[in-house]
Amino acid sequence: MSVGYTVTHRKYVPYSHAHYAGNLVDGAYALAAFGDVATEVCIQLDGDEGLFASYSDVQFKAPMRAGDVLEVVATVARMGTRSRTIDFEARVVCRGRPDRSESAAEVLDPPVVAVTATGTVVVPPK
């Protein structure tokens, strides 16, 4: 129950997080979500919130917008004695459609992969 272990969060991107024209949200929004899902991985596997040590790779692949619903997935790729390497993916699964009406939205099938990353967390010795 360690390598391959996956945790998934979903979160709505509020309009208060839009920073750019077209209601674009900065990439740091996904990185914060990766931190949240990594914390749950550590709690589930180690009984501790752990500490996010570093990213070895981050790829911004598609825009995230206010009104999106993100599915944020963390999968454990490697388990060390105190470190865990985690692969992350943030997918847009729903998107607001203000061109149709103020509250219109749609499910994206397939989802759009917006951000991928690989990071390392560390946990206290047992």
Side-chain angles (χ1 to χ4, degrees):
M1 175 183 129
S2 33
V3 172
Y5 184 74
T6 300
V7 171
T8 303
H9 289 186
R10 282 196 174 188
K11 66 188 305 170
Y12 176 78
V13 181
Y15 280 82
S16 61
H17 286 273
H19 290 287
Y20 305 104
N23 287 319
L24 289 175
V25 175
D26 62 25
Y29 191 86
L31 299 182
F34 291 162
D36 290 343
V37 75
T39 298
E40 184 178 344
V41 166
C42 293
I43 291 168
Q44 293 284 347
L45 294 180
D46 299 289
D48 189 273
E49 291 184 359
L51 176 68
F52 211 119
S54 67
Y55 284 105
S56 58
D57 182 60
V58 177
Q59 299 287 319
F60 299 101
K61 297 176 177 274
M64 295 174 295
R65 291 188 167 87
D68 286 352
V69 175
L70 296 181
E71 180 176 73
V72 182
V73 180
T75 303
V76 177
R78 188 190 65 77
M79 293 280 292
T81 304
R82 293 187 49 221
S83 66
R84 286 85 180 93
T85 301
I86 303 174
D87 292 328
F88 298 96
E89 189 169 85
R91 306 175 193 126
V92 180
V93 296
C94 301
R95 175 152 280 164
R97 292 295 309 267
D99 57 315
R100 291 187 187 163
S101 75
E102 289 182 10
S103 59
E106 65 184 356
V107 175
L108 301 183
D109 186 22
V112 173
V113 176
V115 184
T116 61
T118 299
T120 300
V121 296
V122 293
V123 294
K126 290 189 177 188

